[in-house]
Amino acid sequence: MTRALRGVGLGMLLSLALVRPAGAQEPRTEGISLGTHIMGPKLTTNDLKGRVILLELWGIN
Amino acid sequence: MPHLVRWNYELSDFGLLIIGSHRQQASADTVKAKAQSLGVNFPMVQSGSVKGEKGGGIPHCYLFDHTGKCIFDGHPSDVESKLRVAVGKALADISSEKTSFSKSITPLLDSLKKGQSPMPILQKAIPMQKSTDTATAEDAKLLVARLTDAGQKAVEAAEASIMDDPVAAYNKLQKVPTTFKGTPVAAKATELLTGLRKDKAVQTELKARPTLDAVKKIDAQLSPYSGKLDPAAFKKIHGATLKKLTSTLQTMVKSYPDTPATQEALNIGEKYGVTVR
């Protein structure tokens, strides 16, 4: 029982940590910052309008 | 990364835009070489971000629908079905004035909304444009126009760059005849491609590509061991393969200088410390 309660408590803490803070902005296409171009077609914010966009954050290491 | 390359290949002509944002410390050349060796075929930026990020580890992705709303925020392995549905819903939005469509077109729109691949749906819609039922023919025309919209833009972009950068124009058009088969967009792209194949720069690039493929094969052999050994040990163990890489790059530089294919091959070489000029 204690273990189950501890599990529930841990789950709640974890979900609280992942919830966006009150007042924080929901991500939207208009909020995308294109950083520094490395390769491929060079985009402007105009190119993002009306498109389905997948922004993938990754690293080479 | 291979999943992104696949989705980009299949869906970029139907409105999907994939942006890779590198978020670690590395030089642009290092990231570019790695991305090229992974076959990346979409825009890559350093430190791209979005307002409202929760933070956390990588890889991580955000999916935005065509209205700009974030509809997924999580690990890339969980995004595919949502991504297909988002692309399909955007394509099914064929008219701002009509809310209902003819009986023959509605199932096609429903299939798109469920995330089915747009290419076979386009092929079903094309003959419906000639339907004797006026409503079906009109709705089919709207759907075909929506599904070929990105292809039309690719043709326009290629036409704009054809004089300054024929190889880039060729690259933009390459997939259009297959993806939009049976449409005026495909016919126009085929016509432009026929003209471009007579261009000297395009001809040299096309000749260089099989050798680039050979370099990519060598890269695939070496890549799993790269970074796992110190450079001296790596050179000793893979000496023969590195020698083959060097001679292939030398051939490319001599036979096809200044082509994008040669530049891409040289970037791969630099990953292994092979510099040929």
Side-chain angles (χ1 to χ4, degrees), chain B residues 6-271:
Chain B
R6 190 164 40 83
W7 298 336
N8 189 60
Y9 189 83
E10 181 190 342
L11 297 170
S12 63
D13 286 333
F14 292 102
L16 174 66
L17 175 60
I18 296 179
I19 305 168
S21 173
H22 186 260
R23 298 279 289 247
Q24 292 176 326
Q25 290 291 324
S27 74
D29 285 345
T30 310
V31 178
K32 189 175 173 180
K34 180 69 182 176
Q36 279 182 338
S37 73
L38 292 168
V40 166
N41 49 1
F42 48 83
M44 183 66 68
V45 300
Q46 177 66 44
S47 306
S49 59
V50 62
K51 277 181 196 162
E53 271 183 34
K54 281 187 306 209
I58 51 171
H60 190 94
C61 72
Y62 293 88
L63 176 67
F64 303 89
D65 70 9
H66 65 297
T67 70
K69 187 181 170 192
C70 181
I71 53 171
F72 179 83
D73 170 356
H75 195 274
S77 60
D78 301 325
V79 77
E80 183 168 3
S81 59
K82 289 181 179 69
L83 177 141
R84 290 185 178 277
V85 167
V87 170
K89 279 185 176 170
L91 292 169
D93 192 6
I94 60 173
S95 170
S96 55
E97 290 151 18
K98 292 175 78 172
T99 49
S100 66
F101 297 92
S102 65
K103 226 162 90 181
S104 310
I105 294 297
T106 304
L108 300 186
L109 297 176
D110 290 343
S111 298
L112 282 170
K113 287 176 196 165
K114 283 179 193 157
Q116 287 186 18
S117 183
M119 220 164 122
I121 294 171
L122 171 63
Q123 290 309 312
K124 283 182 188 163
I126 290 168
M128 288 184 187
Q129 294 177 106
K130 290 180 182 166
S131 170
T132 49
D133 177 59
T134 318
T136 300
E138 279 177 12
D139 288 348
K141 280 176 191 163
L142 284 175
L143 179 56
V144 170
R146 184 76 184 92
L147 288 168
T148 55
D149 188 39
Q152 181 60 38
K153 283 182 182 144
V155 167
E156 286 164 14
E159 278 183 307
S161 66
I162 220 158
M163 298 304 283
D164 297 335
D165 193 346
V167 174
Y170 186 89
N171 290 339
K172 282 187 186 105
L173 293 168
Q174 225 177 346
K175 272 172 61 206
V176 175
T178 315
T179 308
F180 303 104
K181 192 181 166 191
T183 67
V185 169
K188 182 67 185 169
T190 304
E191 183 195 321
L192 291 171
L193 283 166
T194 306
L196 279 164
R197 283 193 193 99
K198 292 173 189 156
D199 182 276
K200 208 176 166 189
V202 173
Q203 283 176 353
T204 313
E205 170 68 11
L206 293 179
K207 278 182 196 161
R209 284 185 184 175
T211 321
L212 170 63
D213 290 339
V215 171
K216 283 181 178 172
K217 275 186 191 160
I218 296 172
D219 182 32
Q221 284 171 35
L222 291 173
S223 193
Y225 310 103
S226 175
K228 288 181 183 157
L229 297 167
D230 71 79
F234 182 79
K235 268 186 184 173
K236 197 176 173 188
I237 294 169
H238 299 285
T241 315
L242 289 169
K243 205 173 163 187
K244 193 175 160 195
L245 177 62
T246 308
S247 68
T248 311
L249 292 178
Q250 279 167 342
T251 306
M252 285 193 87
V253 168
K254 197 177 164 193
S255 308
Y256 322 111
D258 308 322
T259 62
T262 298
Q263 190 51 55
E264 192 177 335
L266 288 172
N267 287 342
I268 292 171
E270 278 175 17
K271 264 192 348 183

Side-chain angles (χ1 to χ4, degrees), chain A residues 3-26:
Chain A
R3 187 177 289 177
L5 281 172
R6 204 179 290 153
V8 170
L10 193 65
M12 283 172 71
L13 275 174
L14 198 64
S15 59
L16 279 172
L18 292 172
V19 166
R20 199 165 273 110
Q25 204 171 358
E26 283 293 322

